[in-house]
Amino acid sequence: MQLNKLTVLIVDDMAPIRKITYEQLRRFGIGQVIQAENGAQALNVLKKRNVDLILSDWNMPVMTGIEFLKQVRQSETWRHIPFIMITAEAERDRVSEAIGQGVTDLIIKPFTTALLQARLQQAAKGDVRNRQSLVNEDEPELEEVQLADPEPETPAPIATTKQNTILVVDDTPENLTLLGGLLRDDYRVLLTKTGKKALEICCSETPPDLVLLDVMMPEMDGYEVLEKLRQHPNSQHIPVIFVTALTEIGDQTKGLEGGAIDYITKPIQPELLKLRVRNHLRSVDLHKHLQSDLDNLIEKEKLKNSVDQLLRHDLKGPIAGIVALAEQIKTDRQATASINESSVMIDELSMQLLNMINLSTELYKIEQGRFELKAKPFSVHLMLKKMLTVVRKTFSTKQLLMYLEPEEEDPGNEVLALGDQSLSYSLFFNLLKNACEAAPSRSRVSVSINVVDQKVQVTTENVGAVPDAIRENFWEKYVTSGKDTGTGLGTYSVSLLSDAQNGEVSMRTSDKDNTTTITVALPLSN
């Protein structure tokens, strides 16, 4: 099909991105371009208009791109329409989900104009990259691709004590007395005369750091004890030093091949014994420190990934817009009003990008305990009033009644909070966004501002009670309910950003009235 005969539907919750994409498609020669803010609005468009191709973002309020894709592919009327998904997410499971739902193509943000044009042309020509959901039901299913096994979980850190623990195993009491006496001043020493008791100690939840093991013992000799030690997960890595009167090379070789790390012959030379024990325990201590360092690195990476997950979509969206606008300016040779308009949009997107980069850095510092608050007065009423304008538009398809009390602030009695304006913007935006997502369509979300005990209280109330299962851990990380794509970071970030500004948060749920009330209190600026 020729491009000038195509009707393309753009679905994206960011108005600047829709405008940029619209202008790009028109320059490509696309005949008709229709815009929608989210999947729900896009479905209404499909019911009224014939569409030849869909270009949809993934992360959107009200109805996400993947939910919209599912609806399209389930319809006999729309399932043939090529569907190109634009996303900042490139995780394997998300890509697999999109492919399983029948996406035609995936474009990862940020992308170039040339790439977008090429993918549109491919789709327009019928070059469908993924036909899985378009095959007849009576055709054989595609063979399932076996993905690689996940990486094993990181083992828990090894418990340590102030002193290393050494277990001495010898059936002769005199030898136990001698070895124990040589080591007792520097280490915690355990003594036993039998291999059976040695196995019990080593396979317990608190195994020793090192074992000095006699070879010739009744009932169970040292070789058998070592073999059984290597078969139990709690004891398989414990260093074992054989202490024996056997001096033949064959005896020493047998012990070392079985997994012993050293061989000390009797009669014992005290200084040599102490040096060998000390050197081997250095390796044990080094392993403990390496494990601790690894655990810390993994935990830090988890914190970093949490911040990335929270901001990835919002960050890459403006980047994609800046890239596209920069390309337009390069090719636009006329200094017209459109250039001025584009310049204004660049400024807006750049400010969003700068704020989000700063915010991502501060969130990481907060979780690491390295954040330093530089509080300044700011108008809570002015911030919320502007924010409500944006949020109303974002959730317009839900037809929510949203209002601010007081609607207008008394010019002579301005209420100023003391905090970080950038962090507070993110705090209140997440607060309003969560309230609107939880509220049923055609219900209400109210926002009120009050001053109580030298605190500026911002209270949101929405219809819909928080599910009982998550009330106790409502503010914790990754807690979510009823949202397939929810990260569980929204309420967590509200609590985190409030605490960082010496504020307080509280949640009250009424099953009787079916409402949820959340209050954020920040210090009042005097």
Side-chain angles (χ1 to χ4, degrees):
M1 181 181 293
Q2 296 179 355
L3 294 182
N4 60 359
K5 295 183 179 179
L6 284 179
T7 299
V8 177
L9 172 60
I10 302 171
V11 190
D12 198 300
D13 59 310
M14 294 185 65
I17 302 301
R18 291 199 306 273
K19 177 173 173 49
I20 293 164
T21 308
Y22 173 89
E23 293 175 355
Q24 288 175 325
L25 297 185
R26 295 295 289 171
R27 288 203 312 275
F28 296 164
I30 301 296
Q32 297 290 328
V33 181
I34 309 171
Q35 301 181 41
E37 296 180 2
N38 51 61
Q41 192 177 94
L43 286 175
N44 290 330
V45 171
L46 291 177
K47 293 175 183 178
K48 301 175 182 178
R49 300 284 299 273
N50 292 324
V51 172
D52 302 306
L53 190 146
I54 298 171
L55 191 64
S56 174
D57 192 19
W58 187 306
N59 293 316
M60 297 179 291
V62 184
M63 179 182 287
T64 66
I66 196 68
E67 294 170 339
F68 175 43
L69 173 61
K70 292 178 183 178
Q71 294 290 328
V72 170
R73 290 298 181 243
Q74 290 172 2
S75 169
E76 292 294 334
T77 305
W78 306 325
R79 64 181 308 180
H80 68 281
I81 302 175
F83 195 115
I84 299 177
M85 185 81 77
I86 299 176
T87 178
E89 311 287 349
E91 289 84 0
R92 184 179 64 184
D93 57 343
R94 302 200 84 189
V95 173
S96 298
E97 180 184 10
I99 292 174
Q101 293 298 330
V103 73
T104 305
D105 202 352
L106 280 165
I107 301 178
I108 306 298
K109 296 178 181 179
F111 53 87
T112 64
T113 301
L115 175 64
L116 176 61
Q117 185 175 11
R119 296 297 175 85
L120 282 170
Q121 289 175 336
Q122 289 175 356
K125 292 177 181 177
D127 183 10
V128 180
R129 295 161 60 101
N130 174 46
R131 301 175 182 271
Q132 180 169 337
S133 68
L134 303 182
V135 297
N136 294 329
E137 294 181 357
D138 56 354
E139 292 184 359
E141 294 184 357
L142 299 178
E143 182 179 357
E144 182 179 0
V145 178
Q146 297 296 324
L147 301 177
D149 291 332
E151 294 183 2
E153 294 182 359
T154 304
I158 300 173
T160 61
T161 60
K162 293 182 179 180
Q163 288 183 314
N164 292 108
T165 300
I166 299 176
L167 172 64
V168 181
V169 189
D170 199 303
D171 64 312
T172 305
E174 291 79 9
N175 290 336
L176 290 176
T177 301
L178 172 63
L179 293 171
L182 291 173
L183 302 172
R184 186 171 287 116
D185 291 341
D186 300 314
Y187 310 104
R188 178 173 177 260
V189 180
L190 304 177
L191 306 175
T192 181
K193 295 187 293 184
T194 67
K196 181 180 179 181
K197 185 63 177 178
L199 290 174
E200 180 181 334
I201 294 171
C202 291
C203 297
S204 68
E205 293 299 320
T206 55
D209 298 305
L210 181 71
V211 176
L212 297 180
L213 179 62
D214 188 24
V215 174
M216 296 184 295
M217 296 184 298
E219 297 182 7
M220 185 183 298
D221 64 22
Y223 298 126
E224 187 177 356
V225 173
L226 178 60
E227 181 182 359
K228 292 184 179 298
L229 286 176
R230 295 296 176 253
Q231 295 173 357
H232 194 283
N234 285 5
S235 60
Q236 60 181 345
H237 298 300
I238 300 175
V240 174
I241 299 177
F242 273 128
V243 182
T244 180
L246 299 174
T247 59
E248 296 294 331
I249 296 298
D251 295 322
Q252 295 183 24
T253 302
K254 182 178 180 180
L256 295 173
E257 288 178 345
I261 62 169
D262 206 347
Y263 213 100
I264 298 176
T265 57
K266 299 175 182 179
I268 300 299
Q269 299 181 34
E271 292 304 317
L272 183 60
L273 171 70
K274 290 181 178 181
L275 286 173
R276 287 187 170 181
V277 167
R278 186 180 66 185
N279 289 339
H280 288 305
L281 285 175
R282 282 178 178 173
S283 298
V284 171
D285 291 337
L286 178 62
H287 175 76
K288 289 180 179 180
H289 289 305
L290 287 174
Q291 182 65 60
S292 178
D293 291 342
L294 176 62
D295 294 338
N296 289 335
L297 287 173
I298 292 174
E299 185 61 29
K300 288 178 180 179
E301 187 63 23
K302 288 181 179 179
L303 292 176
K304 179 179 177 296
N305 289 338
S306 296
V307 176
D308 289 344
Q309 184 180 11
L310 180 67
L311 299 171
R312 188 181 295 119
H313 170 63
D314 293 333
L315 190 60
K316 287 191 175 180
I319 291 176
I322 291 174
V323 170
L325 278 173
E327 290 187 8
Q328 289 184 32
I329 292 173
K330 290 178 182 178
T331 58
D332 192 347
R333 298 180 179 179
Q334 297 180 350
T336 62
S338 64
I339 294 180
N340 294 330
E341 184 180 354
S342 295
S343 298
V344 172
M345 292 176 63
I346 287 178
D347 288 338
E348 293 177 357
L349 291 171
S350 297
M351 285 303 298
Q352 289 185 41
L353 179 60
L354 181 61
N355 287 334
M356 283 184 282
I357 290 175
N358 291 335
L359 182 59
S360 66
T361 304
E362 298 308 322
L363 279 176
Y364 185 75
K365 288 180 180 179
I366 291 170
E367 290 194 303
Q368 292 291 301
R370 297 187 289 107
F371 173 74
E372 295 182 8
L373 176 65
K374 297 179 180 179
K376 295 181 180 179
F378 67 94
S379 171
V380 176
H381 191 277
L382 182 61
M383 178 181 290
L384 289 171
K385 190 172 183 179
K386 291 181 178 179
M387 194 178 296
L388 276 170
T389 302
V390 177
V391 175
R392 283 192 184 101
K393 188 173 183 181
T394 302
F395 291 90
S396 60
T397 57
K398 296 190 72 171
Q399 300 182 40
L400 297 173
L401 174 61
M402 302 176 62
Y403 54 91
L404 175 65
E405 297 179 349
E407 184 176 353
E408 296 294 337
E409 191 172 30
D410 184 357
N413 190 24
E414 188 179 33
V415 176
L416 299 179
L418 189 63
D420 186 299
Q421 189 166 352
S422 178
L423 296 187
S424 296
Y425 185 92
S426 180
L427 189 163
F428 293 132
F429 186 81
N430 276 305
L431 190 67
L432 289 173
K433 179 173 175 288
N434 286 335
C436 292
E437 288 178 343
S441 297
R442 299 183 180 181
S443 63
R444 64 172 176 82
V445 174
S446 65
V447 185
S448 62
I449 304 173
N450 296 286
V451 176
V452 179
D453 297 331
Q454 295 299 303
K455 296 278 188 179
V456 181
Q457 290 188 351
V458 176
T459 302
T460 63
E461 183 178 279
N462 61 272
V463 176
V466 173
D468 187 68
I470 66 170
R471 292 181 187 179
E472 290 187 4
N473 55 350
F474 181 74
W475 301 108
E476 294 178 10
K477 205 171 190 178
Y478 308 127
V479 173
T480 185
S481 177
K483 294 186 288 185
D484 295 337
T485 58
T487 62
L489 296 175
T491 53
Y492 170 76
S493 69
V494 169
S495 177
L496 192 72
L497 296 175
S498 177
D499 289 343
Q501 299 180 86
N502 302 316
E504 302 170 353
V505 293
S506 62
M507 185 272 290
R508 185 175 72 256
T509 298
S510 171
D511 291 322
K512 178 181 178 181
D513 299 328
N514 189 29
T515 58
T516 297
T517 304
I518 296 179
T519 300
V520 174
L522 296 180
L524 177 68
S525 176
N526 295 321

